[in-house]
Amino acid sequence: MQKWDGIVAVPDVLLPARDVEYAKWAVVACDQFTSAPAYWQEAAALVGESPSALSLVLPEVYLSESPDRIDARIADINRQMETCLQTGILKDAGRCAVLTRRSVPGVPDRTGLVLAIDLERYEYEPGNRAPIRASEGTVLERIPPRVRIRENAPLELPHVQLLSDDPDGTVLEPLLALCEAGQYDLLYDTPLMLEGGRIKGWRIPEGDPALEAAFAALFQLESWREHGLLMAVGDGNHSLVTAKACWERIRPTAKPGHPARYAMVELINLHDPGLVFEPIHRILFGCDCSTLLTFARDWFSGPGIQDGPVEVLEGAQAEACANGSDPDSCTVRVIGGNPAASLRFPPSDRLAVDRIQPMVDALAGLPGVTVDYIHGETALRALAGPDATGIVLPPLPKTRFFKDIARNGVYPRKTFSTGEAEGKRYYIEARRIR
């Protein structure tokens, strides 16, 4: 595998054979719908006996099963991968990048580029200076079960999405224009199951001048020149941490060029209109609104708290403040009680999630109180009530995303999501890692 500046690489891509029904092959990332087993049951019913990536991944909704059951699932995944290789279900597409164009209902189309990265140039610890960095905190307890899935697998199927800070569209947009003009082979054009929209993919071979120009443009971006930050993780960070952990296990005995040193990812422009940044809200079960407001007033008046004191707004004052807020507001809405309430912080450039998360962690440590992280204000409001208090967080402005990571390191865990679950990456491409 040839590397570009020792960070990005052009992978050896495997794709389903032409006679495979791509609409059944492609399934959404395994870390979606983790509380909805019915989704995965419906996906299995749609697939039936057809070849599908569903047989090659372990949806995380099943990670709560017994260890024996998980081991059986993993063993079956490895057998299915070998079968795909031996029977020709997966075919060699050669060494290439894949330019993707994704359509999701209600969202502008999104462009991506499937390539590979060197895991030696990616880090997830806060404060690291690697060219590729995690953007949110990593929950290390989530890694061991994922290592069990990958450590003996002959293949990887990527759902990791990396972001570049390219406001002028210099990296991917020229490639898209050439693809749409018919310069490259169309590998697939397929609908995606269960409201996933549609996706096209074009083959761009290694060494292609336009691909080399795209890589050159990537290394001319301000984030790289000013901060040494080439890409940041938009989605799938725990999968990337898992890939790195597996590589580090075998690195002492691995031969040069071992494929497990690399991970296949999809690169997306942060500023793509089809990439939607959505906040992830907090809800505290076993905690009524009055308790939360009292706790917040005391917490932010405590010694050593840099974000206090906090002002508690209620009723008409809270409503007026919420209606006039913007993404850089110092006000956070609290729902579940009556009347409406908000927490207003002193002016600062710190994000609301940075201010709120330590307090949420402290509240969740109280007896009978638990926290969950909710996508969408509608879903949050459906859960909030007399004994469940929601905290509505504002969206994360794209304009500060790379600057924050370069300056401050990772955001708190569960800060943002890149769109709804159906819009996440679907598995299509594969690559050998053994």
Side-chain angles (χ1 to χ4, degrees):
M1 179 181 297
Q2 297 296 317
K3 294 179 291 181
W4 212 98
D5 203 41
I7 302 173
V8 298
V10 180
D12 295 295
V13 175
L14 298 171
L15 284 172
R18 292 288 183 180
D19 59 348
V20 171
E21 191 174 353
Y22 273 57
K24 293 183 178 180
W25 173 268
V27 294
V28 78
C30 66
D31 59 350
Q32 301 302 307
F33 300 101
T34 55
S35 297
Y39 176 93
W40 294 103
Q41 292 162 7
E42 187 175 356
L46 286 172
V47 167
E49 297 299 319
S50 301
S52 177
L54 185 58
S55 66
L56 309 183
V57 299
L58 178 56
E60 294 186 3
V61 69
Y62 300 124
L63 287 181
S64 59
E65 293 180 333
S66 69
D68 289 346
R69 180 59 180 149
I70 293 175
D71 286 343
R73 287 186 182 274
I74 293 172
D76 186 60
I77 286 170
N78 291 338
R79 286 193 296 269
Q80 294 287 348
M81 287 182 174
E82 293 290 356
T83 298
C84 286
L85 292 170
Q86 294 169 8
T87 61
I89 292 173
L90 284 171
K91 296 288 189 180
D92 186 3
R95 188 166 291 176
C96 63
V98 180
L99 195 287
T100 65
R101 189 65 170 165
R102 175 73 180 276
S103 303
V104 181
V107 180
D109 290 357
R110 183 180 75 219
T111 303
L113 185 67
V114 178
L115 45 76
I117 61 158
D118 185 350
L119 290 166
E120 295 282 356
R121 312 302 298 278
Y122 154 76
E123 296 293 345
Y124 56 88
E125 297 88 352
N128 78 79
R129 309 303 297 173
I132 304 170
R133 303 175 201 172
S135 54
E136 292 184 313
T138 301
V139 182
L140 294 178
E141 293 79 11
R142 295 180 61 186
I143 303 308
R146 290 156 181 80
V147 167
R148 290 169 59 199
I149 298 167
R150 185 181 176 97
E151 61 185 351
N152 294 314
L155 299 173
E156 70 169 355
L157 289 85
H159 76 256
V160 175
Q161 294 176 332
L162 300 184
L163 305 179
S164 62
D165 191 9
D166 185 15
D168 297 323
T170 61
V171 179
L172 301 184
E173 283 75 358
L175 288 176
L176 175 63
L178 293 173
C179 288
E180 293 184 328
Q183 181 160 327
Y184 299 107
D185 292 337
L186 182 65
L187 293 170
Y188 51 79
D189 181 359
T190 181
L192 298 171
M193 67 172 68
L194 299 177
E195 301 181 4
R198 192 174 190 92
I199 190 168
K200 295 180 179 180
W202 290 268
R203 182 184 187 276
I204 305 179
E206 179 190 31
D208 180 89
L211 183 60
E212 292 294 307
F215 287 157
L218 183 65
F219 284 85
Q220 289 300 314
L221 296 178
E222 181 181 350
S223 64
W224 174 250
R225 291 185 289 105
E226 298 293 328
H227 307 294
L229 176 56
L230 190 67
M231 291 178 268
V233 178
D235 193 47
N237 184 63
H238 287 88
S239 290
L240 207 52
V241 176
T242 298
K244 186 175 180 71
C246 289
W247 162 242
E248 289 176 340
R249 286 186 176 191
I250 67 173
R251 179 172 55 194
T253 58
K255 295 181 180 179
H258 195 291
R261 176 170 172 164
Y262 303 88
M264 193 153 64
V265 301
E266 182 181 32
L267 175 66
I268 300 172
N269 183 2
L270 169 68
H271 303 279
D272 191 314
L275 184 75
V276 181
F277 264 26
E278 297 181 345
I280 301 178
H281 309 298
R282 277 67 172 148
I283 189 164
L284 289 146
F285 296 104
C287 176
D288 61 40
C289 188
S290 177
T291 299
L292 186 145
L293 296 176
T294 300
F295 189 94
R297 187 184 285 110
D298 294 342
W299 171 270
F300 288 105
S301 298
I305 302 298
Q306 61 174 311
D307 293 309
V310 69
E311 182 181 2
V312 175
L313 308 177
E314 295 186 86
Q317 190 179 18
E319 290 284 3
C321 190
N323 292 335
S325 64
D326 60 42
D328 294 317
S329 172
C330 297
T331 303
V332 172
R333 286 179 289 150
V334 178
I335 61 175
N338 190 16
S342 296
L343 300 174
R344 184 159 64 188
F345 296 93
S348 169
D349 65 351
R350 278 167 55 79
L351 290 171
V353 67
D354 287 309
R355 298 171 171 221
I356 284 291
Q357 191 59 46
M359 184 200 76
V360 169
D361 291 339
L363 262 171
L366 298 179
V369 179
T370 59
V371 63
D372 200 1
Y373 299 87
I374 308 299
H375 298 254
E377 187 173 340
T378 300
L380 183 71
R381 289 189 175 278
L383 293 169
D387 197 39
T389 304
I391 300 174
V392 183
L393 290 173
L396 172 64
K398 288 184 177 182
T399 52
R400 62 180 295 170
F401 182 74
F402 268 72
K403 293 183 177 65
D404 280 348
I405 296 170
R407 181 176 62 243
N408 302 323
V410 299
Y411 289 114
R413 65 189 183 279
K414 301 290 187 181
T415 294
F416 69 95
S417 173
T418 53
E420 299 295 333
E422 291 87 354
K424 299 301 175 118
R425 178 163 175 79
Y426 275 57
Y427 301 110
I428 297 180
E429 295 84 1
R431 186 179 74 92
R432 290 180 183 267
I433 54 174
R434 288 178 59 197

